[in-house]
């Protein structure tokens, strides 16, 4: 276990991406391991997933729901990650903007997954935005987190068709499957030191 | 010839999309025919293509290069299209914003092709914008033209990968091939009355 990358996942919701990450990291020969789940919401379904998988959980009160994270909670999270020797932070449906102290401490080591082909449809409800706009293709983006919202350097994207009779639910489900694949791949590449950030581009060492 | 859709192409440059449209429309059983090429630039390479293909050409002075189209030139174009009984206007690298009178007269009957997956990378140099942003996929979009720049309802999109060693040239070439396919398909669907605009979405009658 000693040379595995230590991953922390931050979530607010059902935890489908957390589950995909945790399960895949638990496979033989995967170079990373999910050490803990941190949620800002004691009702997050992700907590049950973590308990079933015997992954340590932390509930941090980050202030009023949907608001910015409090400075105090951000400091607590930084200290926790340091104590647990976290190497990589994966946001997985974490519904808050990460504060500067965590961003600085984990510069180039915080990832997020977004349910759209960025830079299209940033922010909330990327799937609904895509349907409303009338695009023929959408998908997901795993990117490094910077101080903007969904603006950081792109690691992996995966494309899905948007069908004429899609609802938000059918499109979201199609994209979600790709999110799992993309996120697991991004974590593997990071753990294998095969990602190089250059400006706002990410180069993958194809080996 | 009587029941073929009459297409006018407006271009400013080399005319690669014009050529693809004209050649494909000239095939047996294609339900549309390119009747004329209109350029705002007497140096446009598209003129030579049109002459070789014996397609009528018109050079209209639209005012200073890169500026808005003059009202006078827009009126001339409207009159020309009416005289030639044009049913559909295809912008193919036409480097000016179409004026309101033409937009109103050909509402839902003006198409454009853009070298990006809209709404990403609107405006000039969509391929360079994509490379600079660091996306993993780009492509092209054929859309109906509205009063915005590259904002109208999307008819067809086609996706291409962006490779790590792509230059603007290699990516542009990859996208251009898809532009040809997408544009020809969009014109065919329009000619077959299989496109229905609803709000900002376009529904295709799949038959």
């Amino acid at each position: 276990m000693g040379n595995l990358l230590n991953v922390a996942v931050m979530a607010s919701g059902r935890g489908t991406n957390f589950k995909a990450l945790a399960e895949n990291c638990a496979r033989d020969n995967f170079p990373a391991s999910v050490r803990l789940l941190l949620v800002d919401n004691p009702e997050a379904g992700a907590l049950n997933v973590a308990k079933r998988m015997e992954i340590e959980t932390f509930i941090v009160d980050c202030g009023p729901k949907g608001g910015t994270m409090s400075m105090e909670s951000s400091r607590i999270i930084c200290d926790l990650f340091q104590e647990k020797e976290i190497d990589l932070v994966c946001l997985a449906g974490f519904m808050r903007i990460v504060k500067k102290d965590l961003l600085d401490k984990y510069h180039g080591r915080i990832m997020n997954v977004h349910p759209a082909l960025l830079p299209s449809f940033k922010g909330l409800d990327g799937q609904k935005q895509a349907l409303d706009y009338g695009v023929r293709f959408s998908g997901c983006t795993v990117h490094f987190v910077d101080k903007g919202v969904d603006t950081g350097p792109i690691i992996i994207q995966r494309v899905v068709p948007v069908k004429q009779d899609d609802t938000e639910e059918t499109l979201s489900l199609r994209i979600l499957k790709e999110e799992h694949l993309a996120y697991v791949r991004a974590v593997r590449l990071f753990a294998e030191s095969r990602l190089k950030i250059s400006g706002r581009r990410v180069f993958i060492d194809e080996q």
Side-chain angles (χ1 to χ4, degrees), chain A:
Chain A
M1 303 265 286
N3 54 4
L4 292 184
L5 188 87
N6 290 334
V7 176
V9 177
M10 296 172 73
S12 303
R14 293 176 298 168
T16 53
N17 269 307
F18 163 67
K19 184 165 182 277
L21 281 175
E23 285 178 354
N24 279 280
C25 286
R27 288 175 199 274
D28 282 353
N29 300 319
F30 199 91
S33 174
V34 174
R35 297 297 184 197
L36 67 88
L37 169 72
L38 186 149
V39 300
D40 62 341
N41 165 18
E43 309 291 316
L47 288 169
N48 297 325
V49 179
K51 278 167 198 159
R52 278 201 302 275
M53 297 187 70
E54 299 183 340
I55 291 173
E56 203 170 8
T57 59
F58 296 86
I59 304 172
V60 177
D61 180 356
C62 296
K65 194 178 169 181
T68 13
M69 194 188 290
S70 67
M71 284 304 294
E72 171 65 10
S73 60
S74 189
R75 201 186 50 71
I76 290 170
I77 293 170
C78 280
D79 290 350
L80 173 67
F81 288 176
Q82 182 152 22
E83 181 199 327
K84 298 290 180 183
E85 299 183 327
I86 295 304
D87 302 304
L88 175 68
V89 179
C90 291
L91 308 185
F94 186 70
M95 301 301 283
R96 291 177 191 265
I97 294 170
V98 174
K99 282 271 182 204
K100 189 173 179 305
D101 59 343
L102 186 57
L103 275 182
D104 287 347
K105 199 157 185 173
Y106 280 87
H107 180 74
R109 298 191 291 150
I110 309 180
M111 292 181 184
N112 185 37
V113 62
H114 183 78
L117 293 176
L118 292 172
S120 286
F121 313 129
K122 293 172 180 161
L124 291 178
D125 299 325
Q127 305 95 332
K128 181 170 189 302
Q129 289 185 60
L131 278 178
D132 290 348
Y133 196 96
V135 291
R136 298 298 186 196
F137 294 92
S138 190
C140 67
T141 305
V142 179
H143 62 92
F144 285 113
V145 174
D146 65 10
K147 63 186 175 182
V149 175
D150 302 324
T151 54
I154 291 172
I155 304 165
I156 289 181
Q157 295 185 303
R158 292 180 68 92
V159 179
V160 304
V162 178
K163 298 182 181 174
Q164 301 203 120
D165 58 354
D166 264 333
T167 62
E168 205 180 327
E169 288 67 34
T170 58
L171 178 60
S172 296
L173 193 62
R174 193 174 308 125
I175 291 174
L176 188 62
K177 289 177 185 167
E178 304 302 318
E179 290 176 44
H180 298 343
L181 296 171
Y183 220 161
V184 171
R185 171 96 178 131
V187 170
R188 173 186 280 280
L189 289 170
F190 186 92
E192 292 173 350
S193 303
R194 291 167 59 192
L195 299 177
K196 183 173 156 241
I197 305 178
S198 171
R200 61 158 302 114
R201 296 184 66 178
V202 179
F203 290 88
I204 299 175
D205 179 357
E206 302 286 6
Q207 295 186 330

